[in-house]
Amino acid sequence: MIVGIDLGTTNSLIAVWEDGAPRLIPNSLGETLTPSCVSLDEDGSILVGRAARERLQTHPARTASVFKRYMGSDKLIRLGEREFRPEELSALILRSLKEDAEAVLGHPVTEAIITVPAYFSDAQRKATRAAGQLAGLRVDRLLNEPTAASLAYGINLRDAETRFLVFDLGGGTFDVSVLDLFEGVMEVRASAGDNMLGGEDFVLCLINHFFEQQKIPLGLKSDAHFMQRLIAATERAKRALSDSASATIQISHHDTEYAMTLDEAAFERVCAGLLQRLRDPVERALRDANLRITELDNVILAGGATRMPVVRRLVARMFGRFPACDINPDEVVALGAAVQAGLKMRDAALDEVVMTDVSPYSLGIEVSMQLGDRSYSSGHFDPIVERNTPVPVSRVKRYHPVSDNQKYLELNVYQGEARMARDNIRLGSLKVALPSLPIDDSGIDVRFTYDVNGLLQVEATVVKTRETHVLVIEGNPGMLSEAEIAARFITLSELKIHPRDRIEHRTLLARAERLYQQLRGQGREWFGARIVAFEQALETQDKRVIDPVRAQFEATLNEIEHDSFTVPFND
Ligand code: AMP
């Protein structure tokens, strides 16, 4: 059994292909969205998901979120006394999803399709694959998120002939794909995106505006506790603006109260720069697909951030029509990953379906350009695989040295669209020894092979000797070698994960700790006693004792959360 996983910046989901349709699997709290948060509990065990998200405010130094942004880098993230790489934190999320699936399906889960933003670089993709391995999963395929969304959408339209665009704005990334659906063949015509643009940026933008408007001392930006509270308050306001005409961001620091009310129009003004940035990839994808906006039959929304009315309005304005939202934008990518799992398992229901994808960016090497007077200008980028080439693809190009008897040729491999190599992303380098020969007789054939997972292999063959070298991109500081993965797998397996059957109660307690910090005076004292009472009930380990206390405790938490809480008189 292969599972499909959407490993998101904010939330992650797991789904399976079952009885001819994709199905989401709930976690131990019965929810299909598991927050992509990890926290190190005081007893040294690991909390994943909602319990960890509750602790972002109460224990910011022991809790991590949005680490997907650092995938492919060597940044270390500290949780209490331990440090983790981004792929290790992602592995803990994957492990938790895997356990949820195993509990529901009743058998071990060892293989997965994991989705990645189409715009993820080679290093980010390799880090995602490593995260899978660290979680004990064989990663069958890395699937581009907008491609997954189109699979989920297209599977219901198998017999239609249609052309659509997927607009996927998640927590941290933005992807656009243009697709053609014809007789069961789903063809990605072009992809484009922005790796550094997502729903979280709208929160940051609001926060910066809040600091400015309220003249909040800038020093508070380095107060982790204050910032976590502010991020949570701003996130709430941003989401409230999706359902109501205005929302307020409110926070106190010592005895100063800061508050700012925003309506839709103000929100749109504050985030105008971000909204403008959403236009570029749409235009690029359409240009690469050789299509005009009017030639599209539909626009599909994916990613939680497309719930923002300002984004929907922008899409409607750009396309002159309202986008399709028949599939929940939070779920569409995971459902598509499960469809891909069905394809991989060759399910009969998917007999006629074929999916083709493209490379979302150009890949090439750094070259020197010959000028008219036999002098050279160095540092230019020469693409070998152009962006939006259908994958898998293998291309060869021949390169010559710049002088007679040159002893080495250094290949620097880049990804991107900029004219100068230095403005693109460097993937790695390879030094190839050359036999002593005149320029025209000397040279190498460089072969780029780019597979369906978006992973690149570079091979250089010396023309004269046919000697072949393979570029090992894994030498990058941001990447783990197979040996390192094996070693870290062991360390990670030794980490104690909070027991599944107790996570529900642990989540309630984490939530209570957060709400406790919101209260003051008598209310705080009263609520503190309720937390102790709940802890005492838990200690009995007797369901008959726990259940009623728990129900009441949960009702109190809801009251505090929704500001309808008053301290009872006779307690
Ligand atoms: P994803 O990575 O697809 O889980 O997207 C998560 C992003 O969607 C986060 O930035 C959330 O703040 C955002 N989001 C989720 N629900 C809403 C909502 N109702 N209104 C505005 N943004 C939302």
Side-chain angles (χ1 to χ4, degrees):
M1 164 73 70
I2 309 175
V3 292
I5 297 177
D6 170 5
L7 183 60
T9 312
T10 326
N11 292 301
S12 296
L13 302 89
I14 186 162
V16 281
W17 179 260
E18 218 174 50
D19 302 328
R23 175 168 81 97
L24 292 167
I25 301 180
N27 59 25
S28 47
L29 300 175
E31 295 165 350
T32 51
L33 291 182
T34 297
S36 304
C37 294
V38 177
S39 187
L40 187 63
D41 208 349
E42 277 62 32
D43 66 2
S45 71
I46 294 286
L47 290 164
V48 170
R50 197 137 77 88
R53 193 183 61 194
E54 297 289 1
R55 286 165 56 90
L56 271 175
Q57 282 173 60
T58 53
H59 300 81
R62 303 182 73 84
T63 310
S65 65
V66 296
F67 37 83
K68 181 172 173 178
R69 287 209 157 163
Y70 305 114
M71 289 290 266
S73 77
D74 56 357
K75 185 183 165 80
L76 290 175
I77 299 150
R78 180 170 274 282
L79 301 193
E81 57 282 2
R82 295 187 77 116
E83 281 188 330
F84 293 90
R85 291 179 60 106
E87 54 268 63
E88 291 181 296
L89 295 174
S90 298
L92 292 169
I93 304 281
L94 291 172
R95 203 160 115 190
S96 162
L97 296 172
K98 171 174 148 51
E99 284 166 13
D100 289 333
E102 287 171 343
V104 170
L105 301 171
H107 55 75
V109 167
T110 51
E111 287 178 62
I113 310 266
I114 303 180
T115 59
V116 287
Y119 242 61
F120 246 21
S121 70
D122 197 72
Q124 289 168 309
R125 284 167 194 267
K126 288 201 171 117
T128 306
R129 203 176 49 177
Q133 287 171 277
L134 290 173
L137 286 168
R138 202 177 86 85
V139 182
D140 271 305
R141 168 97 185 242
L142 296 171
L143 181 66
N144 290 333
E145 286 165 10
T147 309
S150 349
L151 269 173
Y153 179 79
I155 213 66
N156 301 320
L157 298 171
R158 250 168 289 179
D159 303 321
E161 189 179 322
T162 178
R163 195 172 274 158
F164 54 93
L165 181 141
V166 181
F167 188 100
D168 178 1
L169 187 63
T173 51
F174 176 47
D175 280 322
V176 175
S177 283
V178 177
L179 282 104
D180 248 348
L181 182 60
F182 181 69
E183 291 181 350
V185 178
M186 257 178 267
E187 181 190 353
V188 180
R189 293 270 299 265
S191 284
D194 189 331
N195 239 344
M196 290 290 161
L197 176 58
E200 317 293 342
D201 293 292
F202 287 77
V203 173
L204 292 180
C205 194
L206 284 176
I207 288 178
N208 286 335
H209 181 69
F210 188 50
F211 262 87
E212 234 169 72
Q213 203 226 34
Q214 293 288 302
K215 303 196 169 45
I216 305 175
L218 290 178
L220 276 178
K221 284 197 176 177
S222 40
D223 178 337
H225 201 262
F226 177 79
M227 285 309 285
Q228 281 302 347
R229 279 196 303 134
L230 181 55
I231 290 171
T234 312
E235 175 72 31
R236 270 199 302 279
K238 181 185 79 170
R239 286 181 188 232
L241 273 172
S242 297
D243 299 320
S244 41
S246 72
T248 303
I249 306 175
Q250 198 166 2
I251 194 163
S252 58
H253 182 65
H254 299 315
D255 281 329
T256 316
E257 194 63 56
Y258 303 102
M260 173 175 84
T261 299
L262 281 172
D263 60 11
E264 274 283 313
F267 184 42
E268 192 163 344
R269 264 198 315 279
V270 172
C271 301
L274 295 176
L275 292 168
Q276 182 56 35
R277 275 171 66 194
L278 291 170
R279 288 175 172 271
D280 279 0
V282 172
E283 283 161 10
R284 184 144 37 101
L286 284 170
R287 208 177 316 120
D288 284 358
N290 264 327
L291 286 176
R292 281 191 304 267
I293 275 188
T294 48
E295 291 175 276
L296 293 171
D297 298 316
N298 222 334
V299 180
I300 295 152
L301 298 182
T306 56
R307 289 186 192 279
M308 286 187 283
V310 285
V311 171
R312 291 194 173 190
R313 263 206 309 279
L314 175 94
V315 173
R317 267 204 304 271
M318 281 188 87
F319 295 95
R321 75 177 78 232
F322 285 99
C325 342
D326 16 352
I327 309 185
N328 183 336
D330 293 322
E331 300 175 350
V332 65
V333 169
L335 292 171
V339 175
Q340 178 68 42
L343 283 173
K344 194 95 196 178
M345 294 183 293
R346 298 183 174 280
D347 188 89
L350 295 170
D351 220 14
E352 306 281 295
V353 181
V354 177
M355 177 87 215
T356 67
D357 210 342
V358 292
S359 90
Y361 31 69
S362 303
L363 296 154
I365 62 166
E366 180 180 5
V367 295
S368 293
M369 234 167 70
Q370 194 174 356
L371 306 173
D373 53 1
R374 263 216 171 267
S375 64
Y376 287 89
S377 157
S378 60
H380 293 263
F381 177 59
D382 187 45
I384 295 179
V385 173
E386 296 272 2
R387 71 162 183 264
N388 289 321
T389 305
V391 292
V393 58
S394 193
R395 292 267 156 88
V396 178
K397 227 167 161 175
R398 180 162 294 182
Y399 293 92
H400 296 282
V402 293
S403 56
D404 291 333
N405 303 319
Q406 191 171 315
K407 289 203 168 49
Y408 290 99
L409 234 169
E410 181 146 353
L411 282 182
N412 289 311
V413 179
Y414 288 87
Q415 138 193 336
E417 313 307 324
R419 188 171 67 91
M420 301 310 287
R422 61 164 187 269
D423 298 327
N424 292 317
I425 298 172
R426 190 166 177 276
L427 299 182
S429 63
L430 178 66
K431 205 169 172 182
V432 182
L434 296 175
S436 271
L437 288 168
I439 289 184
D440 293 338
D441 297 335
S442 181
I444 53 173
D445 285 334
V446 180
R447 176 177 291 280
F448 273 27
T449 307
Y450 193 72
D451 69 10
V452 288
N453 296 308
L455 297 172
L456 175 71
Q457 200 195 353
V458 179
E459 211 180 72
T461 307
V462 179
V463 176
K464 190 78 185 172
T465 60
R466 301 315 296 167
E467 194 180 84
T468 294
H469 304 259
V470 176
L471 173 63
V472 186
I473 296 185
E474 295 187 357
N476 274 359
M479 222 165 295
L480 293 177
S481 66
E482 286 298 323
E484 280 170 314
I485 292 176
R488 280 169 192 265
F489 175 76
I490 295 172
T491 335
L492 222 53
S493 309
E494 284 163 358
L495 273 181
K496 205 159 61 152
I497 304 281
H498 200 85
R500 269 178 62 80
D501 55 346
R502 271 182 263 151
I503 194 73
E504 203 171 341
H505 295 147
R506 185 67 194 82
T507 306
L508 270 188
L509 278 174
R511 183 172 168 218
E513 297 281 352
R514 169 172 63 82
L515 293 171
Y516 178 84
Q517 296 194 355
Q518 285 179 15
L519 298 173
R520 301 206 309 179
Q522 238 189 331
R524 190 170 180 147
E525 212 173 294
W526 181 86
F527 184 52
R530 299 275 65 75
I531 298 181
V532 174
F534 181 55
E535 283 173 333
Q536 281 171 343
L538 290 181
E539 273 168 26
T540 65
Q541 298 191 6
D542 180 347
K543 198 167 146 42
R544 283 165 307 179
V545 177
I546 298 171
D547 282 357
V549 179
R550 189 208 126 113
Q552 246 211 323
F553 188 57
E554 202 166 358
T556 306
L557 298 187
N558 290 340
E559 278 175 25
I560 299 173
E561 193 97 72
H562 300 115
D563 273 344
S564 52
F565 166 73
T566 43
V567 182
F569 278 119
N570 304 317
D571 203 284

